[in-house]
Amino acid sequence: MKVEHLGGCQCGALRYRIDAPLTDIAHCHCSICRRSSGGILTTWVTVPRQAFHWLRGTPKAFASSASCTRYFCGDCGAHLTLFTSLSPDTLDVTVATLDEPEQAAADRHIWVGSRLPWLRVDPHLPEENQEIIP
């Protein structure tokens, strides 16, 4: 399995590298992700924090809740990462910003209690009403 993964924002001001396999991938249906991204859901890959490296640029930060800080490009607005103090050893990265997002298929749905009632994506995947943090 590939261990190095590259990604970045739309305008190229921010670039990053992940030095870990992409194994914990979830479609998030929470309303905060919808409002932060402007999308109907956000697909995240959770990686060890020490495996994530900014290669170019410095992201802007926004505290979207008491436990979560989201990082985005101050130029193009792309939403790239999320840190939660509930899981301090990991970082969530938006799959859509990977150079090869096809390498990161989701393995579950999280926060399905907030899912838009008309949305049907990957109905075969397991669902969690909230995210279960190990």
Side-chain angles (χ1 to χ4, degrees):
M1 177 174 267
K2 188 175 178 182
V3 176
E4 181 183 89
H5 302 276
L6 299 171
C9 65
Q10 182 181 4
C11 72
L14 297 175
R15 294 290 298 160
Y16 64 80
R17 183 183 76 234
I18 299 169
D19 295 325
L22 305 179
T23 58
D24 182 10
I25 306 165
H27 293 310
C28 182
H29 296 273
C30 80
S31 62
I32 297 172
C33 279
R34 284 199 305 271
R35 290 206 180 254
S36 295
S37 71
I40 56 176
L41 63 76
T42 301
T43 305
W44 296 101
V45 57
T46 302
V47 300
R49 196 166 172 197
Q50 74 275 4
F52 183 89
H53 310 280
W54 291 108
L55 301 175
R56 181 182 329 141
T58 302
K60 298 283 185 180
F62 172 69
S64 60
S65 70
S67 62
C68 293
T69 302
R70 294 165 188 269
Y71 296 89
F72 62 97
C73 177
D75 294 330
C76 69
H79 185 188
L80 290 102
T81 64
L82 176 142
F83 171 76
T84 177
S85 60
L86 301 176
S87 185
D89 295 329
T90 64
L91 186 72
D92 294 330
V93 181
T94 53
V95 166
T97 63
L98 289 165
D99 289 351
E100 297 177 324
E102 66 276 7
Q103 300 294 316
D107 54 28
R108 70 189 191 288
H109 294 271
I110 58 175
W111 294 99
V112 296
S114 299
R115 179 175 33 213
L116 296 170
W118 46 262
L119 182 61
R120 301 289 179 260
V121 175
D122 290 338
H124 63 283
L125 295 178
E127 298 182 347
E128 300 167 13
N129 192 40
Q130 295 182 350
E131 183 175 11
I132 298 170
I133 298 174

